[in-house]
Amino acid sequence: MSKELWKPGNMLYPLPAVMVSCSEPGKPDNIITIAWTGTVCTNPPMVYISVRPERYSYDMIKNTGEYVINLTTKKLVKAVDYCGVRSGRDVDKFQEMHLTKEEAGFVSVPLIRECPVNIECKVTEIKELGSHHMLLADVAGVHIDKDLLDEKGKFCLGDADLLAYSHGEYFSLGGLLGTFGYSVKKGR
């Protein structure tokens, strides 16, 4: 395999393409598409999003200390893109993309009903890192689509057609290749 050296940059792909809902009193609820997000810690459960401070949603999240990470699916790809390229200063993204607000259990930010998983987040720290600020958060609650539970109650998120983002393009995730620890199980 021949390789070419490029200047330093962010090439850690693919990433989850999520819609982050946010809210602030006196302003319409908003959605921002984020690809720079992930798990920070299992116990306590913590996540993060990284947002440019000039984005409309940034101050909403900073001022309230709350946001909801909404996982996205193949069916939502147009809304995911739209919510990433249009500003909440100019349009009501919930209305324009026909997305349904659903009440959260622990934060004042609406969930997006059409998303299979909604993660309620409470900001614990904002790290000003440069072009983006990282908003670290405790997970306050998680909502899952009951249609993704099998007959035994196992959560089958792989059946949701989740989206991934890679270098300016959206992809649906492919099929199962293995399970955690399969490479060392006896009989393999």
Side-chain angles (χ1 to χ4, degrees), residues 7-137:
K7 68 177 182 167
N10 296 323
M11 293 300 266
L12 182 60
Y13 291 111
L15 299 163
V18 301
M19 292 191 290
V20 174
S21 47
C22 53
S23 184
E24 184 176 11
K27 294 182 179 179
D29 297 329
N30 195 39
I31 304 166
I32 181 173
T33 297
I34 299 283
W36 293 2
T37 182
T39 299
V40 175
C41 188
T42 301
N43 191 12
M46 295 181 72
V47 293
Y48 78 92
I49 59 173
S50 289
V51 182
R52 289 181 183 270
E54 60 269 16
R55 295 293 299 263
Y56 180 66
S57 298
Y58 177 82
D59 282 332
M60 295 175 84
I61 296 168
K62 184 177 179 183
N63 293 341
T64 63
E66 298 178 339
Y67 59 87
V68 175
I69 297 174
N70 302 276
L71 300 191
T72 61
T73 65
K74 185 177 178 179
K75 289 180 183 177
L76 293 168
V77 69
K78 184 176 179 182
V80 170
D81 186 64
Y82 185 90
C83 291
V85 297
R86 293 287 184 230
S87 174
R89 288 182 184 96
D90 306 320
V91 296
D92 181 333
K93 297 178 193 181
F94 277 97
Q95 182 179 359
E96 291 297 316
M97 290 292 100
H98 308 287
L99 297 170
T100 311
K101 297 177 191 179
E102 203 163 60
E103 188 173 339
F106 300 96
V107 298
S108 59
V109 176
L111 314 174
I112 301 173
R113 178 182 295 160
E114 292 77 6
C115 294
V117 176
N118 317 94
I119 305 167
E120 298 185 50
C121 304
K122 293 190 177 198
V123 176
T124 59
E125 183 179 355
I126 298 175
K127 295 181 110 11
E128 298 181 10
L129 300 171
S131 65
H132 288 69
H133 293 183
M134 180 185 289
L135 296 104
L136 295 164

